[in-house]
């Protein structure tokens, strides 16, 4: 059984490591530092940590000001309050200015669990993708989260990083090379490609194993970078395997599936099927119960492959 | 309800809160317990509401802008006959009407869906405007956290309520001095609260949020004040009534284990 670590824990660890290497790194939070794990950084570098209080719009505005003054800013809260409440501040003060702010949003998706629909950001990837120049990352595990956060620190410009509350299996070896904008082929195959992101990557791998037992040979891509998306990988998937299933813990409107479909329509027509949340709000429940109820399981991904291939 | 009956009711509400959060294994006891005495006076003394006639247009309306304190709201609604008390143990479970944060489409008696801090306050301003447009003499009550006051939207709502002279609106600030990351004073100072609301044009009443007589008197005065909205700035203790939760930020959003829940219930005069 693989180790399980929540990507917000990876974030706490990555911040402390980055803080030691880079004096220009400043961290902001909005009264959730114990949950987003920025408290780890605050403990070691209290002079470079600022709590904005429960005021997310102001926090992202302050982040923009710090960034245009030369700081590399990591600013965190739950995804619903980052991409949601602060959207227009992020668009105009961070996106439009190209400010060097890393919007590290935790507790994304349905797996927030018991807090319910008001706290389950299932549209954050769509919102962030629409901002010109915004890089959008959604790591699947601990190793890729830490590598992508490191890369985000080196990347000049705004980056949105989607992080989770729930512990997820570690799928990568520590030495794996993971770069912004390059999908990882986790498994090669010829009958269909599952393009997954975030929490659903490990479930996509399980689906591939289920399908292999039936003689269906699928390719699995980890699309950890939603923007700029690895178009080449999508086009090859469409041409070489003929069909694609996308899988994301996000509404099917405007996220990974929509981005993949757009590339296919324009450049490499293929049948695409979308595993995601079907234009509905979530609700309270245990994370696994919710993933089951909303069809975000290995079985649901496998079924989509059988139908589309 | 007389004072003794209200006191007994408040104790029952506190017991429900512990049961809800214990059975859910998560939730927010601290800010539920600090708001209990105010909510008890509202639901069982002050407000014109009827669990058997929940959509009467002339009813008073309550908005829990600090929506994470849903356990206290659900306990009051159950005690007021809006739904069976047995359902309280389904809090936060898949398929329950008792969502982690209140949902008006899932539970009758919830007047506004909340959970994202600040939004309930704005909605209450709209409800007060609607009440005036319709010529109703019903009142709108809205409960805010002190940390919640850090949200810019709360001051936008305050400005609007005073601008429109909404004397049918009464806000209550549950001033327990704590939020998630610690004391308000350490995270982001919100004091002085009363002066801020006064400067925004509100009628301000400061009181002890655990003194049932003072709370009832505060609501009475608020009802008589004309031309401006009233805010009760209520001094409270987070976790009030459970010794090990009192004034502890760590009990903001954490469920007690079995032993802790049993101790809490014993202190509150009940059994789990
Ligand atoms: C817009 C928004 N930001 C952050 C949160 C997360 N959150 C939930 S409760 C809370 C602290 C609230 O403190 P306070 O208003 O003082 O409530 P109380 O002490 O009465 O529980 C925070 C930050 C939220 N629910 N909504
Ligand atoms: Mg408080």
């Amino acid at each position: 059984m693989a180790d399980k670590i929540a990507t917000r824990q990876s974030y706490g660890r990555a911040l402390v490591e980055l803080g030691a290497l880079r004096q220009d790194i400043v961290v902001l939070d909005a009264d959730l530092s114990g949950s987003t794990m920025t408290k780890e950084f605050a403990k070691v570098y209290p002079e470079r940590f600022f709590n904005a209080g429960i005021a997310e719009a102001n926090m992202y505005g302050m982040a923009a000001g710090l960034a245009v003054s030369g700081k590399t800013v990591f600013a965190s809260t739950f995804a619903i309050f980052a991409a949601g409440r602060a959207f227009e501040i992020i668009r105009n003060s961070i996106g439009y200015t190209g400010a060097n702010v890393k919007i590290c949003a935790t507790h994304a998706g349905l797996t927030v669990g018991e807090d319910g629909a008001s706290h389950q950001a299932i549209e954050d990837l769509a919102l962030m993708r629409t901002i010109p120049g915004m890089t959008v990352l959604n790591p699947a595990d601990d190793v890729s989260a830490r590598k992508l956060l490191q890369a985000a620190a080196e990347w000049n410009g705004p980056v949105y990083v989607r992080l989770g509350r729930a512990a997820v299996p570690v799928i990568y070896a520590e030495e794996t090379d993971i770069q912004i904008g390059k999908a990882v082929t986790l498994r090669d195959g010829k009958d269909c490609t599952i393009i997954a992101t975030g929490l659903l990557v490990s479930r996509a791998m399980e689906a591939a194993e289920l399908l292999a037992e039936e003689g269906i040979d699928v390719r699995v891509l980890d699309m950890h970078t939603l923007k700029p998306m690895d178009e080449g990988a999508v086009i090859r998937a469409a041409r070489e395997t003929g069909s694609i299933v996308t899988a994301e813990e996000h509404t099917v409107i405007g996220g990974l599936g929509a981005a993949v479909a757009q590339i296919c329509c324009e450049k490499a027509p293929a049948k695409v099927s979308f595993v995601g949340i079907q234009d509905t709000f979530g609700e309270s429940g245990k994370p696994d119960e919710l993933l089951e109820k909303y069809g975000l399981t290995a079985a649901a991904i496998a079924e989509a492959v059988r139908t589309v291939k | 309800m007389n004072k003794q009956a209200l006191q007994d009711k408040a104790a029952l509400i506190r017991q429900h809160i512990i049961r809800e959060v214990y059975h859910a294994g998560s939730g927010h006891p601290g800010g539920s317990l600090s708001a209990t005495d105010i909510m008890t006076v509202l639901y069982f003394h002050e407000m014109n509401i009827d669990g058997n006639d929940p959509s009467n247009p002339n009813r008073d309306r309550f908005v829990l802008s600090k929506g994470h304190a849903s356990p206290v709201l659900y306990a009051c609604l159950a005690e007021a006959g809006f739904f069976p008390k047995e359902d309280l143990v389904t809090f936060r479970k898949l398929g329950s009407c008792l969502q982690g944060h209140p949902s008006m489409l899932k539970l009758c008696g919830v007047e506004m869906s909340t959970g994202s801090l600040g939004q309930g306050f704005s909605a209450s301003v709209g409800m007060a405007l609607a009440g005036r447009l319709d010529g109703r003499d019903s009142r709108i009550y809205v409960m805010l956290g002190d940390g919640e006051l850090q949200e810019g939207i709360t001051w936008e709502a305050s400005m609007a309520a005073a601008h429109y002279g909404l004397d049918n609106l009464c806000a209550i600030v549950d001033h327990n001095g704590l939020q998630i990351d610690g004391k308000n004073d350490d995270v982001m100072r919100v004091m002085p609260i009363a002066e801020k609301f006064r400067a925004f044009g509100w009628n301000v009443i400061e009181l002890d949020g655990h003194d049932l007589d003072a709370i009832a008197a505060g609501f009475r005065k608020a009802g008589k004040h004309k031309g401006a909205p009233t805010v009760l700035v209520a001094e409270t203790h987070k976790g009030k009534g459970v010794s090990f939760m009192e004034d502890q930020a760590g009990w903001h959003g954490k469920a007690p284990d079995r032993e802790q829940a049993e101790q809490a219930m014993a202190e509150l005069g009940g059994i789990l």
Side-chain angles (χ1 to χ4, degrees):
Chain A
M1 196 53 201
D3 283 347
K4 281 184 147 195
I5 300 174
T7 51
R8 65 188 165 118
Q9 305 286 352
S10 322
Y11 176 49
R13 183 175 155 194
L15 275 183
V16 173
E17 288 167 10
L18 283 164
L21 299 170
R22 299 257 308 259
Q23 290 305 308
D24 62 316
I25 287 180
V26 172
V27 176
L28 304 183
D29 203 294
D31 195 34
L32 288 168
S33 67
S35 300
T36 64
M37 303 315 291
T38 61
K39 70 162 184 213
E40 300 297 332
F41 182 93
K43 268 191 263 171
V44 192
Y45 309 104
E47 68 293 346
R48 285 191 271 147
F49 174 81
F50 298 96
N51 204 323
I54 312 169
E56 299 79 10
N58 184 54
M59 175 173 75
Y60 286 106
M62 294 197 320
L66 282 156
V68 300
S69 308
K71 304 299 176 194
T72 299
V73 187
F74 283 75
S76 290
T77 179
F78 291 179
I80 190 73
F81 310 128
R85 171 154 308 194
F87 175 77
E88 192 258 351
I89 316 282
I90 291 173
R91 177 193 185 272
N92 279 339
S93 292
I94 297 174
Y96 186 41
T97 62
N100 200 18
V101 177
K102 316 307 164 188
I103 302 149
C104 296
T106 68
H107 294 64
L110 287 179
T111 46
V112 168
E114 290 83 349
D115 271 353
S118 61
H119 284 54
Q120 293 163 347
I122 54 174
E123 58 286 270
D124 56 320
L125 296 173
L127 287 165
M128 290 296 119
R129 277 184 62 232
T130 62
I131 299 174
M134 181 68 71
T135 295
V136 181
L137 306 177
N138 184 25
D141 81 336
D142 172 54
V143 174
S144 55
R146 282 185 286 107
K147 299 219 166 189
L148 287 167
L149 284 159
Q150 173 84 43
E154 283 155 25
W155 189 268
N156 187 24
V159 180
Y160 180 81
V161 189
R162 184 189 224 223
L163 301 163
R165 170 184 183 238
V168 289
V170 176
I171 53 182
Y172 288 109
E174 193 64 43
E175 59 279 4
T176 316
D177 179 31
I178 293 176
Q179 292 173 28
I180 292 178
K182 272 199 71 149
V184 180
T185 305
L186 284 168
R187 178 182 179 125
D188 207 0
K190 57 179 191 326
D191 297 333
C192 179
T193 301
I194 305 170
I195 304 183
T197 190
L199 185 107
L200 287 195
V201 172
S202 64
R203 290 175 177 234
M205 290 295 286
E206 283 171 43
E209 267 154 47
L210 293 174
L211 292 162
E213 286 166 21
E214 301 165 21
I216 303 173
D217 180 25
V218 297
R219 180 180 298 180
V220 178
L221 299 184
D222 172 4
M223 195 61 81
H224 51 68
T225 304
L226 273 93
K227 194 180 160 188
M229 190 168 278
D230 187 341
E231 282 202 5
V234 176
I235 292 168
R236 281 193 298 281
R239 293 200 179 131
E240 292 165 15
T241 72
S243 59
I244 293 174
V245 169
T246 60
E248 59 196 310
E249 188 197 6
H250 186 271
T251 168
V252 291
I253 300 173
L256 170 73
V260 166
Q262 197 170 1
I263 294 169
C264 290
C265 277
E266 214 167 46
K267 300 187 174 150
K271 279 208 277 180
V272 185
S273 174
F274 309 97
V275 172
I277 298 152
Q278 305 292 330
D279 198 18
T280 178
F281 287 103
E283 63 184 296
S284 292
K286 293 200 177 77
D288 280 336
E289 290 173 343
L290 294 170
L291 293 174
E292 180 80 37
K293 175 162 178 182
Y294 290 83
L296 307 181
T297 58
I301 298 170
E303 188 51 33
V305 169
R306 287 182 205 108
T307 313
V308 79
K309 78 170 174 59
Chain B
M1 236 182 224
N2 69 29
K3 188 171 176 188
Q4 186 57 51
L6 279 176
Q7 248 162 19
D8 295 347
K9 194 61 101 178
L12 269 183
I13 302 279
R14 286 195 161 90
Q15 293 169 22
H16 287 320
I17 291 169
I18 296 299
R19 268 190 219 105
E20 287 175 78
V21 174
Y22 169 70
H23 285 287
S26 67
H28 299 81
S32 296
L33 293 166
S34 64
T36 297
D37 297 307
I38 303 159
M39 297 275 293
T40 303
V41 174
L42 269 175
Y43 272 86
F44 304 99
H45 181 74
E46 170 68 14
M47 283 203 295
N48 172 26
I49 46 150
D50 181 355
N52 295 315
D53 186 15
S55 45
N56 186 331
N58 293 318
R59 72 192 184 279
D60 290 339
R61 288 156 176 84
F62 173 78
V63 175
L64 185 65
S65 196
K66 43 170 271 185
H68 57 278
S70 51
V72 64
L73 175 62
Y74 298 153
C76 288
L77 290 174
E79 282 291 329
F82 283 83
F83 65 88
K85 287 175 220 165
E86 297 80 65
D87 291 356
L88 286 168
V89 295
T90 67
F91 177 47
R92 288 181 158 247
K93 301 217 163 94
L94 189 67
S96 173
C97 299
L98 311 187
Q99 292 291 294
H101 295 78
S103 166
M104 64 182 287
L105 299 184
K106 295 224 159 130
L107 186 63
C108 165
V110 173
E111 299 283 5
M112 182 70 206
S113 300
T114 53
S116 185
L117 294 168
Q119 296 191 16
F121 194 13
S122 291
S124 73
V125 174
M127 291 161 98
L129 276 173
R132 191 159 77 185
L133 277 174
D134 292 348
R136 282 188 261 112
D137 62 2
S138 68
R139 294 183 60 72
I140 313 294
Y141 299 87
V142 57
M143 169 85 76
L144 305 160
D146 46 10
E148 183 176 12
L149 296 179
Q150 293 158 356
E151 286 286 357
I153 192 174
T154 60
W155 301 104
E156 298 169 29
S158 302
M159 198 166 5
H163 179 77
Y164 290 109
L166 296 175
D167 51 23
N168 55 345
L169 177 67
C170 179
I172 307 105
V173 176
D174 181 358
H175 185 24
N176 56 32
L178 297 175
Q179 49 194 103
I180 294 184
D181 279 347
K183 295 186 181 132
N184 304 151
D185 283 348
D186 295 334
V187 176
M188 181 58 61
R189 201 161 42 248
V190 292
M191 294 292 278
I193 295 172
E195 281 86 336
K196 283 192 176 75
F197 275 99
R198 259 183 224 114
F200 272 71
W202 284 60
N203 175 43
V204 179
I205 298 172
E206 295 175 85
L207 49 80
D208 174 347
H210 299 306
D211 177 337
L212 299 171
D213 287 331
I215 299 165
F219 284 125
R220 226 174 11 253
K221 280 189 229 154
K224 293 204 181 104
H225 190 86
K226 294 296 160 209
T230 293
V231 59
L232 309 187
V233 180
E235 293 299 320
T236 59
H237 294 277
K238 214 155 171 169
K240 175 75 176 176
V242 177
S243 59
F244 58 90
M245 292 187 181
E246 277 186 23
D247 299 317
Q248 300 296 319
W251 283 101
H252 170 85
K254 188 170 77 171
D257 63 23
R258 175 141 202 124
E259 199 181 317
Q260 290 165 327
E262 276 168 355
Q263 187 191 330
M265 290 302 280
E267 289 183 19
L268 296 169
I271 45 168
L272 195 57

